């Protein structure tokens, strides 16, 4: 079965620290991968996505993620976090099957990031 | 954003009562989805629609039904609400195209007592 796993439930950092959130997936075939962010009391917003091509993906707000096929990983990184990055982060994936699969995402459990000023 | 409005935003209901949540979108997106969000589980797909009157089950569809009579509206019905259905429900839409991302609504917080 397809699955997405996030190993860190809660990460606490100080401002300016570097961030790496882990995400692993299990899919057969070609996979599309995403990172979403949910700020307190808000809906999910897309940070970045990987469909094909360059495995290093740049997203909004200085975030990036690297697709490593051999490790089935798609970790999210940011070199220097800010207090405003405090949020919950979700990794998600889907099989690259087009059509009705567009939004049929499998989400990880989420990682809460708390950044202290 | 895709102009997604969910109603109601909050609801408290009793076990055994039927409940309908509404999702309305203004972007003419073909695809619509209902997810539920629970701590430790992330988001899980309940049902989705790939066109008017075309719907299918997701990962956690038991106890839920959906209807889509118009492109802009996607209704989620809990036929007989149970406490295990206490959750935050998110509607999402996607247009066509391989790179079409999901756009989420603001969610409905449902409490079943």
């Amino acid at each position: 079965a397809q699955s997405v796993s996030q190993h860190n439930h809660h990460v606490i950092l100080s401002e300016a620290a570097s961030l790496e959130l882990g995400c692993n997936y299990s899919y057969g075939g070609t996979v599309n991968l995403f990172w979403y962010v949910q700020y307190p009391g808000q809906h999910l917003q897309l940070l970045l996505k990987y469909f094909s091509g360059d495995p290093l993906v740049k997203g909004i707000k200085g975030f990036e993620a690297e697709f490593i096929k051999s490790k089935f990983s798609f970790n999210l990184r940011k070199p220097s976090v800010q207090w405003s990055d405090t949020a919950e982060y979700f990794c998600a994936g889907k099989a690259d099957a087009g059509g009705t699969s567009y939004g049929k995402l499998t989400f990880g459990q989420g990682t809460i990031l708390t950044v202290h000023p | 954003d895709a102009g997604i409005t969910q109603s109601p935003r909050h609801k408290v209901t009793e076990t055994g009562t039927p409940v309908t949540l509404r999702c309305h979108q203004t972007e003419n997106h073909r695809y619509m989805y209902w997810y539920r969000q629970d701590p430790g589980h992330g988001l899980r797909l309940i049902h989705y629609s790939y066109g008017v009157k075309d719907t299918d089950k997701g990962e956690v569809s038991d106890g839920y039904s959906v209807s889509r009579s118009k492109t802009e509206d996607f209704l989620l019905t809990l036929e007989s609400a149970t406490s295990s259905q206490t959750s935050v429900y998110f509607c999402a839409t996607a247009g066509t195209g391989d790179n079409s991302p999901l756009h989420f609504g603001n969610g409905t917080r449902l409490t079943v007592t």
Side-chain angles (χ1 to χ4, degrees), chain A residues 8 21 24-25 31 36-37 45 55 86 94 97 102 109 111:
Chain A
N8 310 107
L21 300 182
N24 288 94
Y25 66 92
V31 63
Y36 282 84
V37 60
Q45 303 171 43
T86 294
K94 71 176 183 72
Y102 290 133
Q109 302 90 327
T111 298

Side-chain angles (χ1 to χ4, degrees), chain B residues 12-88:
Chain B
V12 179
T13 192
E14 293 184 348
T15 297
T17 60
V19 177
T20 295
L21 308 182
R22 180 177 183 245
C23 177
H24 178 80
Q25 57 122 341
T26 59
E27 295 297 311
N28 202 35
H29 281 170
R30 176 179 176 183
Y31 301 97
M32 299 186 75
Y33 308 83
W34 277 107
Y35 283 87
R36 60 178 288 176
Q37 183 181 23
D38 304 288
H41 291 276
L43 280 78
R44 292 177 291 175
L45 181 64
I46 305 171
H47 280 280
Y48 63 98
S49 169
Y50 43 94
V52 173
K53 299 190 188 302
D54 289 326
T55 65
D56 206 347
K57 295 178 179 180
E59 178 187 356
V60 289
S61 59
D62 287 348
Y64 301 94
S65 62
V66 289
S67 66
R68 190 165 178 205
S69 58
K70 298 185 291 185
T71 298
E72 56 266 33
D73 290 326
F74 192 33
L75 304 180
L76 176 71
T77 297
L78 287 66
E79 293 139 10
S80 177
T82 67
S83 59
S84 65
Q85 293 176 312
T86 292
S87 186
V88 180

